[in-house]
Amino acid sequence: FRERKLIVHIIPFENRRQILVTHDVTETERNEMMRRDFIANASHELRTPLTVIVGFLEIALSEELDPATRLAHLKLMMEQGQRMQHLIEDMLTLSRLESVDHPLRSERVDVKKLLDRVLSDARALSAGKHTISLEVNGPDISGSPDELHSAFGNLASNAVRYTPAGGEIRLKWQRSSRGAQFVVEDTGIGISPEHISRLTERFYRVDKSRSRETQGTGLGLAIVKHVLLRHGGNLSITSEAGKGSSFTVSLPGA
Ligand code: ADP
């Protein structure tokens, strides 16, 4: 059953009256459209690596390969398999975050400990190519440590992935009027203004090939958005193309 609100406009036109009937796209329909888009995007994202894997398997089955070529093919198949794994993990995370059967389990969060993990993950991903610092000056908060780790980790890993080697990344936890803020600043590629409002949409990317090259699934900021919705927080983004970006998460105090 599709709810549709019909809107009838009566428009005078050259002594006659025209009737224009339009319809309002209801919430149900909008959700349905988003679901369809999500399935189409997710299927496409999974099909691409699978096509590569099946292609290499066909070659392996039909030709004798020298050991070096065989190894190179295996490595490429492994990379594509890992890409599918990341995507499926992010899709499952998003669906858990959206599920009503999965309420937030809130507890006191040791923010310093959590951010030390985020810092060491970011440094591992950077492999020494960036200067990454962390300052912790804010209070502890309540929330789900796992969900907050995933949100903060996604922002920090984006800063690494979208900042060329030699750049700087600053992670800061500070007190704010509402509670506390996590700020991630980078000196990376930046984002032009027209993209900023769409970044938390699933699979929205400014540059698909760069996102894929750096293991992006296109779901990181959607995960951040849903974690923040569950915690009563919000995300603000300021950025300048070619100069760098700043992502600020604001969370209510305990
Ligand atoms: P992805 O896996 O593609 O990085 P995200 O949802 O995490 O997916 O981010 C969506 C898009 O936002 C990215 O593809 C990229 O274009 C842009 N983006 C996110 N973080 C940054 C950043 N720190 N600097 C520049 N662009 C960014």
Side-chain angles (χ1 to χ4, degrees):
F1 174 70
R2 284 192 167 179
E3 291 167 66
R4 244 179 202 191
K5 202 195 287 168
L6 289 180
I7 306 172
V8 181
H9 308 267
I10 301 177
I11 308 168
F13 179 70
E14 292 178 357
N15 296 330
R16 281 183 293 141
R17 279 197 188 156
Q18 287 196 328
I19 294 182
L20 179 72
V21 181
T22 59
H23 62 260
D24 180 33
V25 179
T26 62
E27 185 75 20
T28 327
E29 252 179 282
R30 240 192 322 269
N31 286 342
E32 185 56 31
M33 267 159 56
M34 278 171 57
R35 197 173 300 278
R36 271 201 305 269
D37 277 359
F38 180 67
I39 292 173
N41 279 321
S43 313
H44 178 77
E45 295 289 333
L46 285 169
R47 189 178 58 182
T48 314
L50 201 53
T51 306
V52 178
I53 294 172
V54 172
F56 280 124
L57 288 173
E58 276 168 4
I59 296 173
L61 286 171
S62 65
E63 291 172 32
E64 278 293 313
L65 296 172
D66 62 84
T69 312
R70 197 172 140 265
L71 189 65
H73 285 193
L74 283 173
K75 280 189 179 155
L76 284 167
M77 286 196 282
M78 175 84 170
E79 275 168 25
Q80 299 299 318
Q82 284 170 338
R83 192 171 137 194
M84 293 173 71
Q85 260 178 342
H86 286 151
L87 184 61
I88 289 168
E89 274 159 26
D90 276 0
M91 282 166 51
L92 287 172
T93 302
L94 253 186
S95 90
R96 264 197 308 273
L97 290 170
E98 282 187 301
S99 158
V100 279
D101 307 329
H102 192 256
L104 180 70
R105 283 214 203 131
S106 201
E107 59 183 82
R108 187 107 196 130
V109 181
D110 180 343
V111 176
K112 169 86 174 76
K113 191 167 132 206
L114 189 151
L115 288 177
D116 280 340
R117 267 169 67 207
V118 170
L119 177 68
S120 67
D121 292 348
R123 286 194 170 143
L125 183 64
S126 153
K129 295 196 191 85
H130 308 87
T131 310
I132 311 178
S133 62
L134 167 68
E135 271 172 46
V136 180
N137 290 318
D140 281 345
I141 51 163
S142 296
S144 153
D146 285 347
E147 291 184 20
L148 290 171
H149 178 255
S150 146
F152 296 171
N154 267 306
L155 293 174
S157 81
N158 279 355
V160 173
R161 291 167 45 238
Y162 296 103
T163 300
E168 198 182 335
I169 292 147
R170 275 191 240 144
L171 312 177
K172 289 188 264 182
W173 178 252
Q174 55 203 28
R175 194 174 294 278
S176 74
S177 52
R178 273 187 75 210
Q181 281 183 335
F182 178 54
V183 184
V184 181
E185 286 169 348
D186 67 54
T187 56
I189 60 170
I191 307 151
S192 347
E194 70 272 23
H195 297 291
I196 291 184
S197 63
R198 300 198 57 194
L199 295 182
T200 58
E201 288 174 25
R202 292 144 193 234
F203 297 116
Y204 188 87
R205 292 137 153 165
V206 176
D207 174 352
K208 271 196 195 302
S209 58
R210 179 163 189 135
S211 161
R212 292 214 182 95
E213 266 165 35
T214 59
Q215 304 276 316
T217 61
L219 296 176
L221 291 180
I223 291 175
V224 173
K225 176 179 131 181
H226 281 280
V227 169
L228 296 183
L229 273 174
R230 287 160 67 86
H231 285 79
N234 60 56
L235 174 69
S236 76
I237 306 169
T238 53
S239 186
E240 200 178 329
K243 292 244 163 107
S245 311
S246 170
F247 287 73
T248 302
V249 164
S250 301
L251 287 158

